[in-house]
Amino acid sequence: MSELNLILLGPPGAGKGTQAQRLIDDFRLPYVATGEMLRTAVREGTPLGHEAAKYMNNGDLVPDEVIIGVTVERLQQGDTADGFILDGFPRTVDQAKALDAELQRVGRTLTAALLIDTPDEEVVRRISGRRQCVKNEQHVYHVEFDPPKHEGVCDQDGARLVQRDDDKPDTVRHRLDVYHDQTEPVIGYYDDRGVLRRFDGTRSPTEVHDHIRATLATLRLEESL
Ligand code: AP5
């Protein structure tokens, strides 16, 4: 398979970021996470960050016209030549169409949209216990399911662990409503195009990862036949 162009889909807290870290280790592909890009912009106080903060703190989606341009621009960078792992985009059917248009423009195709299916009650349990490192938000833990060795301290760099601003219970409920309303149609969009692959997100991180790897190995085998 020449390129591995992957999308991670699923509700907030499904484990998209957790699986992305494992797939990065497997395939050494660049990780394009729109939530992370936006949180960095908010922290740095850029114009994008000022605009995004108005929506993110309430758990709403940033408007398509704000996010599509920055994501497409990121995918045009040279490091994505062998593929990418896209997390958090597309979140609306219009974003999915914009991504298709861009891939078509450059003669590329999507390898798979990996859906990590996780019920709402599990999402709430996961997000309420999630803690992330202040130095590197890709270092993610869970107080119950994946605790750090020392409470409140990142295993990898010794920095403090904190709760994300949009991980408060009321905001999480709203993010789930937004997911069902605006992002679920994206699942049908990719199913219709034959690229959707579903995974049971209630399984352990290792089991989910094993299933994803087995699916990608099958896709590669099919392509080589
Ligand atoms: P974003 O950062 O993309 O957040 P999200 O989609 O809500 O996803 P999360 O990061 O909350 O969860 P995750 O699935 O990565 O789970 P994780 O691996 O951490 O977006 C944030 C905001 O940015 C949006 O609300 C929106 O405002 C804006 N935005 C971003 N993209 C946008 C776009 N395209 N358009 C418009 N607006 C956009 O896992 C969660 C917890 O569970 C962790 O503690 C982990 O340790 C644990 N865990 C993971 N897997 C398992 C498992 N299998 N079993 C037990 N525990 C597990």
Side-chain angles (χ1 to χ4, degrees), residues 10-20 31 33-36 38-39 52 55-57 59-64 67-68 71 87-92 95 116 122-123 125-127 129-132 137 140-143 145-146 164 166-167 175 178 200-206 208:
K16 303 182 296 295
T18 300
Q19 294 304 322
Y31 176 46
T34 47
E36 191 180 308
L38 292 169
R39 280 188 292 279
Y55 303 92
M56 293 176 76
N57 292 341
D60 286 316
L61 295 186
V62 170
D64 285 348
I67 193 70
I68 288 174
T71 309
D87 172 2
F89 187 99
R91 263 183 154 93
T92 64
Q95 291 181 17
I116 305 179
E122 180 66 16
V123 160
R125 259 161 38 105
R126 286 188 190 174
I127 292 192
R130 172 167 55 189
R131 298 294 180 271
Q132 67 185 30
E137 68 168 66
V140 175
Y141 302 84
H142 190 282
V143 291
F145 309 130
D146 182 21
R164 241 165 69 175
D166 61 348
D167 278 356
R175 283 163 63 198
V178 169
D200 178 358
T202 64
R203 311 297 284 266
S204 73
T206 301
V208 178

Side-chain angles (χ1 to χ4, degrees), residues 174-193:
H174 182 62
R175 283 163 63 198
L176 273 168
D177 289 343
V178 169
Y179 173 77
H180 293 307
D181 188 38
Q182 299 188 54
T183 306
E184 269 180 356
V186 176
I187 298 170
Y189 179 90
Y190 286 122
D191 207 8
D192 290 347
R193 282 154 185 77

